[in-house]
Amino acid sequence: FLREQYVRAGYPAEKIQHIENGIDLSRLQAAAQAPRGPLRGHYAYLGSIAWQKGVHVLVEAFRRLGDVGAKLRIWGKLTTFPDYAAQLQEAIQDCPWIKLEGELDHNQVSDALAWADYLVVPSVWWENAPSTIVEAYAAHVPVIASRLGALTERVRETETGFLFAPGDAEDLLRVIQHTLREPALLEQLRAALPSVKSAEEYTDEMEVIYHELRQGS
């Protein structure tokens, strides 16, 4: 997706190489090794508490869902956009099944993903390669994401997760209800999650590219 934007803007396609990011897998080892049982109804958001990330869409979907036993936990810094965070706080006052957890330390990401059945990425603006999706896959957590930007490349519908119309709380609610009605989907999706590239593998690939460029100079 990002490569296409550059080409459309006039950059030469033959000079652009597409390489997947790698991550520090050791940080997610606990989540990757955590026992994964049947659906518990645990849905998580990890990221910026900002309008463009669509957190309000996620909150509204869970408000409409009601208290059916499912839980939503939202991790992210609440002081970057305090007015927006305050709106979210107000929206969940009467919804004990929704919690704003505040900022999450990098070393705690593994614990959050170990808790989650599904990660939700409800962005309302273009995304390219959110690290949270890669981290979720490394922790054996399927993803529910907006059908937007490169998220359609990151999340394969019914294979590694589900997609919904961006900004549409009702469509997101539909997907959440579907996952709750069909708990067996969770194990099917887990089995199809892709392997994740390590930071070391990514570094090796980048070194090869730099070496080739130097040789050709």
Side-chain angles (χ1 to χ4, degrees):
F1 171 79
L2 182 59
R3 180 180 184 277
E4 289 175 1
Q5 306 314 308
Y6 276 112
V7 172
R8 195 171 298 164
Y11 289 86
E14 68 276 7
K15 289 186 175 293
I16 302 174
Q17 295 194 47
H18 176 201
I19 300 172
E20 298 287 345
N21 289 331
I23 62 171
D24 180 4
L25 294 176
S26 65
R27 240 185 350 101
L28 301 166
Q29 191 170 12
Q33 296 176 347
R36 292 292 183 179
L39 180 76
R40 299 160 295 178
H42 290 181
Y43 298 79
Y45 171 86
L46 284 73
S48 300
I49 305 301
W51 178 87
Q52 67 269 21
K53 295 296 185 178
V55 187
H56 57 287
V57 180
L58 177 56
V59 165
E60 180 57 28
F62 267 83
R63 277 178 52 83
R64 297 183 190 185
L65 178 66
D67 191 1
V68 296
K71 291 179 171 56
L72 170 64
R73 296 176 73 180
I74 297 169
W75 282 279
K77 192 173 183 179
L78 301 175
T79 55
T80 305
F81 299 101
D83 291 344
Y84 182 70
Q87 292 172 15
L88 297 176
Q89 290 278 17
E90 184 177 355
I92 67 172
Q93 281 187 70
D94 58 347
C95 303
W97 58 94
I98 307 173
K99 288 187 177 181
L100 288 177
E101 300 285 359
E103 189 172 9
L104 187 68
D105 184 90
H106 280 297
N107 295 324
Q108 298 172 309
V109 169
S110 186
D111 293 336
L113 290 173
W115 176 85
D117 292 325
Y118 288 93
L119 176 77
V120 187
V121 182
S123 302
V124 294
W125 188 246
W126 285 351
E127 296 277 7
N128 182 43
S131 59
T132 51
I133 291 181
V134 183
E135 290 171 341
Y137 288 165
H140 309 303
V141 177
V143 177
I144 299 170
S146 301
R147 190 179 290 106
L148 185 70
L151 294 178
T152 58
E153 300 172 23
R154 299 290 163 203
V155 180
R156 299 193 303 273
E157 181 80 56
T158 72
E159 290 184 34
T160 63
F162 297 99
L163 298 167
F164 68 95
D168 191 334
E170 193 62 31
D171 198 36
L172 175 54
L173 173 62
R174 173 191 61 80
V175 173
I176 294 165
Q177 290 174 326
H178 178 57
T179 61
L180 291 171
R181 284 194 304 266
E182 303 289 343
L185 287 172
L186 180 59
E187 191 56 39
Q188 296 173 23
L189 294 169
R190 283 175 182 158
L193 295 180
S195 59
V196 172
K197 184 188 297 182
S198 70
E200 291 79 11
E201 290 172 315
Y202 174 75
T203 302
D204 289 343
E205 290 181 355
M206 291 299 293
E207 286 182 345
V208 168
I209 291 172
Y210 279 113
H211 179 71
E212 291 174 348
L213 288 171
R214 288 186 63 195
Q215 293 294 102
S217 62

